[in-house]
Amino acid sequence: MLGERVIRGIGMTSQGARDRMVDRLRELGIRDERVLSALRWVPRHLFVDEALASRAYANTSLPIGQGQTISQPLTVARMTEALLAGGVPERVLEVGTGSGYQTAVLARLVPKVYTVERIRTLSMRARNVVRGLGLHNVRYHLSDGSWGWAQYAPYEAILVTAAAERVPPPLLEQLAEGGTLVIPVGGHGQPQQLLCIRREGVRFGCRRLQPVHFVPLVHDGGVS
Ligand code: SAH
């Protein structure tokens, strides 16, 4: 596979670089071994432009084109950890496919991933990279993910990787009983908080996880 050749060929993108990234995440407080092993497996450099590949295993977000960014590994780890805390969800909805990195991490950990992106070129590129890794348990959808993806609802877990001004009601509706929604919330230019929301019967319990910095969730902007 081309990916494997690239990994062996360039020191900065080797398994060793990924192992060091995971050691750092452990130091920063990530404890879930399932999450750490998924992050050790997914070659993050394949999700960024070749020119940025040597920076792929630093703990930073990076541009992926179209004004969007691939999330920082620590943030990916925290969000994934929060999602798995109550047990492995059967079906996960991801809003904001972006590079597909978080998608690939999820696809290593749960049986079925449904991912929605509003920018066609990003969705297509993500699909190719994730499939190239042999991960075939993902469905891709080009749409405004603020509406969720009603066709396959309910989901045991929903992960949003762009910041919403407020939690979109369709995402709460499409969350299964006992399910978890992890979402960054904060208006444009305002501080954002990562929220972990659990559906308990007719109630929704909400916990703040940490301050974060995400690109905005575009609502009613159509697809492009
Ligand atoms: N998880 C991604 C993060 C990408 S950044 C990664 O690891 O690469 C957030 C993504 O959300 C961008 O690709 C952006 O286009 C997308 N996005 C923003 N608003 C959206 C919406 N309403 N519906 C679907 N995707 C959206």
Side-chain angles (χ1 to χ4, degrees), residues 47 64 66 68-71 76 94-103 116-119 122 143-146 161-162 214-220:
F47 294 84
I64 54 170
Q66 315 284 326
Q68 309 303 321
T69 53
I70 181 172
S71 308
V76 171
E94 179 193 31
V95 175
T97 315
S99 67
Y101 178 67
Q102 172 80 71
T103 318
V116 185
E117 170 58 57
R118 58 175 290 278
I119 300 177
L122 292 180
S143 173
D144 176 354
S146 322
T161 67
F214 277 87
V215 297
L217 183 77
V218 178
H219 190 36
D220 284 340

Side-chain angles (χ1 to χ4, degrees), residues 117-173:
E117 170 58 57
R118 58 175 290 278
I119 300 177
R120 185 182 304 272
T121 52
L122 292 180
S123 179
M124 305 270 287
R125 199 165 65 198
R127 188 185 308 221
N128 286 336
V129 180
V130 175
R131 282 194 183 151
L133 293 173
L135 299 168
H136 298 291
N137 53 337
V138 183
R139 274 183 194 261
Y140 304 82
H141 189 36
L142 188 68
S143 173
D144 176 354
S146 322
W147 299 102
W149 192 355
Q151 189 180 350
Y152 297 103
Y155 304 94
E156 285 75 42
I158 301 179
L159 185 63
V160 183
T161 67
E165 279 193 36
R166 54 191 69 83
V167 180
L171 300 185
L172 296 173
E173 284 155 23

